[in-house]
Amino acid sequence: MAPKRKAPLKRKLAEEFPPGEVLVDTAKKQWKLGTPIGKGGFGLLYLADENSSKPVSNNAPYVVKVEPSDNGPLFSELKFYMRAAKPELIQKWITSQKLKYLGVPKYWGSGLHEKNGNSYRFMVMDRFGSDLQKIFESNGKRFSHKTVLQLGLRLLDILEYIHEHEYVHGDIKASNLLLSHKNTNQVYLVDYGLAYRYCPEGIHKEYKEDPKRCHDGTIELTSIDAHKGVAPSRRGDLEILGYCMMQWLCGSLPWEDKLTDPNYVRDSKIRYRDNISSLMTKCFSGKDAPEIAKYLEYVKAMGYTEKPQYKKLREIFLDGLKSIGAKDDDKLDLSILENGSLTAVGEHKKKAAGRSKKTTEPRSSGGEKSPKKKAGLSNPVHSRKQEVEERAAHSSSDLPKRKRMKK
């Protein structure tokens, strides 16, 4: 008789704190909670502001993510934020690179909070507005050519920054791109719970295929390396960005007809990578987007440990803008109302307007969203997210002891 399998550990749910609850971070700074604005698997999101005698307003600039301290996901995300997202680090990069802004959320503080005999971990982050997935769907699953190229430019800025700080994101997609709460022409890449330190202390991880990690990520967008169980790399981030841009331009990708078959998706990507012109023909139906083909050819030629030529890639997208009579004017052509709700264009307008009331809740940089589309429907795999969470859950007790984490 086969031994019984142990059930997975059940993680605790976070209790809801009342408005006005004050949390004290590791730097002794006080943060006052407002109303909750989001709820995910095991955590809650609250509007927040620096502590004062006034209640937290609906225009509060921060959010606080709270979850039981013995859960793993927030601990994993904290490691990235503490190493690479401190405001002074981001501002130094913006100045040195002469950028107008950088779409990486800022880390403002974190700590532990005791309540009713329970311990909770929290992190203070920037507040954001709608995510691009909602806007993409409201616009009939299309973004304009100009908007897609501008998004590509902003994401290259973001990726260069996090890559230079030893991390890769590994899950770039529209639902992880949030608009600034105050400026809807600015977009931020969020959700670093799966961010991977590909180059600790300057030493790049080796290429190694791991069957336990096959197909990890969002199945339609993940890299070929990820399909093979290889740890995320800079090359993988750029490949995922290429798939995103094609999806935003075309509405869908050729392998989206069978996402429950991970091997089919993998093989389709490999086949089209080997013949990028056929991918262009399939997706664009005779329309011209030479800059996308040029970008994908560049990524195809990259080595696993190779450092991208970010300047060259930006020039490809800038040339693309020039070819359509546009320029990078920092204005995103997105259909957004002043109150933050979504509207659509053309025949989708009425349908999207009815949806907007239900889909415009502000999100934070750690905002909860719908689960990733995983490949393990018919062939379950041990995902990197599970592995990260399990490892973090075992080691999370040491976080309060670390006032500063070394790179």
Side-chain angles (χ1 to χ4, degrees):
M1 184 175 177
K4 292 184 178 179
R5 295 180 63 183
K6 292 183 178 180
L9 293 174
K10 291 185 178 180
R11 295 190 177 89
K12 298 177 182 177
L13 299 176
E15 67 176 290
E16 186 171 319
F17 298 155
E21 186 90 5
V22 175
L23 312 182
V24 182
D25 67 22
T26 55
K28 306 302 180 184
K29 188 168 184 176
Q30 297 184 351
W31 302 92
K32 180 180 283 189
L33 299 185
T35 56
I37 60 169
K39 182 181 295 186
F42 310 99
L44 287 167
L45 290 170
Y46 299 84
L47 288 179
D49 209 337
E50 297 179 27
N51 188 27
S52 70
S53 59
K54 298 178 181 179
V56 176
S57 75
N58 289 332
N59 291 319
Y62 307 102
V63 294
V64 171
K65 187 174 184 179
V66 182
E67 69 175 32
S69 62
D70 51 1
N71 289 352
L74 182 54
F75 175 77
S76 301
E77 193 166 22
L78 258 174
K79 290 191 290 186
F80 166 80
Y81 277 104
M82 293 177 75
R83 285 193 179 107
K86 293 178 180 177
E88 59 270 23
L89 278 178
I90 292 175
Q91 187 55 52
K92 182 179 179 182
W93 183 268
I94 290 172
T95 302
S96 67
Q97 301 298 309
K98 299 180 179 178
L99 301 175
K100 294 181 179 178
Y101 85 102
L102 180 69
V104 176
K106 296 181 180 68
Y107 162 83
W108 295 105
S110 61
L112 293 176
H113 183 69
E114 302 294 327
K115 180 79 171 181
N116 298 330
N118 296 314
S119 178
Y120 296 90
R121 178 171 289 113
F122 69 89
M123 180 166 66
V124 185
M125 300 169 285
D126 290 322
R127 179 186 180 183
F128 293 104
S130 300
D131 69 66
L132 289 194
Q133 184 63 31
K134 295 184 179 79
I135 302 170
F136 180 61
E137 291 175 1
S138 76
N139 286 339
K141 292 195 172 181
R142 289 289 194 285
F143 284 144
S144 72
H145 201 157
K146 174 179 177 284
T147 296
V148 171
L149 290 173
Q150 286 185 298
L151 288 171
L153 287 166
R154 299 294 83 78
L155 277 158
L156 285 176
D157 290 341
I158 295 166
L159 293 179
E160 182 175 13
Y161 174 82
I162 65 174
H163 292 171
E164 287 299 298
H165 287 79
E166 302 183 345
Y167 279 90
V168 290
H169 189 275
D171 196 28
I172 304 153
K173 56 185 177 180
S175 60
N176 281 340
L177 291 166
L178 307 186
L179 297 179
S180 165
H181 178 57
K182 294 183 178 180
N183 185 345
T184 55
N185 288 311
Q186 294 183 353
V187 64
Y188 287 75
L189 178 62
V190 305
D191 193 354
Y192 293 85
L194 293 181
Y196 181 71
R197 199 176 179 200
Y198 75 97
C199 196
E201 310 301 335
I203 302 173
H204 200 292
K205 297 286 187 178
E206 294 182 0
Y207 181 95
K208 184 179 180 182
E209 297 181 9
D210 182 353
K212 292 182 179 180
R213 289 182 171 180
C214 284
H215 314 298
D216 196 20
T218 301
I219 190 68
E220 64 266 40
L221 299 170
T222 199
S223 68
I224 292 172
D225 283 340
H227 280 294
K228 296 179 178 179
V230 180
S233 69
R234 293 171 291 190
R235 175 175 75 179
D237 270 356
L238 293 179
E239 182 183 345
I240 295 168
L241 173 56
Y243 295 147
C244 286
M245 293 177 72
M246 292 194 67
Q247 186 185 62
W248 298 337
L249 271 174
C250 308
S252 64
L253 296 163
W255 44 83
E256 288 189 45
D257 59 336
K258 203 184 292 186
L259 294 179
T260 55
D261 185 344
N263 292 329
Y264 166 81
V265 176
R266 176 201 62 203
D267 294 344
S268 296
K269 289 176 183 176
I270 292 172
R271 184 174 67 255
Y272 281 118
R273 180 194 61 182
D274 294 340
N275 188 352
I276 289 174
S277 63
S278 68
L279 177 59
M280 296 296 104
T281 301
K282 177 72 174 178
C283 289
F284 291 98
S285 303
K287 295 180 182 179
D288 198 22
E291 72 282 351
I292 301 296
K294 190 173 183 180
Y295 174 87
L296 292 175
E297 290 285 1
Y298 177 92
V299 176
K300 172 184 174 179
M302 281 186 67
Y304 178 67
T305 62
E306 184 178 339
K307 180 178 179 177
Q309 295 175 281
Y310 302 98
K311 183 179 179 181
K312 182 175 181 178
L313 294 173
R314 286 190 193 93
E315 288 172 353
I316 291 174
F317 293 158
L318 288 170
D319 287 344
L321 284 170
K322 187 176 180 180
S323 71
I324 61 173
K327 61 180 181 179
D328 184 18
D329 58 6
D330 301 316
K331 295 180 181 178
L332 293 177
D333 180 19
L334 301 172
S335 301
I336 302 182
L337 299 178
E338 290 183 1
N339 63 4
S341 63
L342 306 180
T343 186
V345 294
E347 60 183 308
H348 305 278
K349 187 171 184 179
K350 292 182 180 179
K351 183 177 179 181
R355 271 201 316 265
S356 65
K357 295 179 181 179
K358 301 178 181 179
T359 61
T360 56
E361 187 66 68
R363 282 179 54 193
S364 76
S365 54
E368 306 299 339
K369 52 193 176 300
S370 58
K372 294 182 177 71
K373 295 177 183 176
K374 301 297 291 183
L377 296 177
S378 57
N379 180 25
V381 294
H382 184 76
S383 72
R384 184 160 60 92
K385 184 170 185 177
Q386 290 173 309
E387 183 175 302
V388 168
E389 290 180 3
E390 290 167 3
R391 184 169 64 250
H394 289 299
S395 60
S396 60
S397 59
D398 69 352
L399 184 66
K401 301 175 185 177
R402 303 179 186 176
K403 292 186 179 179
R404 189 176 65 177
M405 300 185 75
K406 296 180 180 179
K407 281 189 177 182

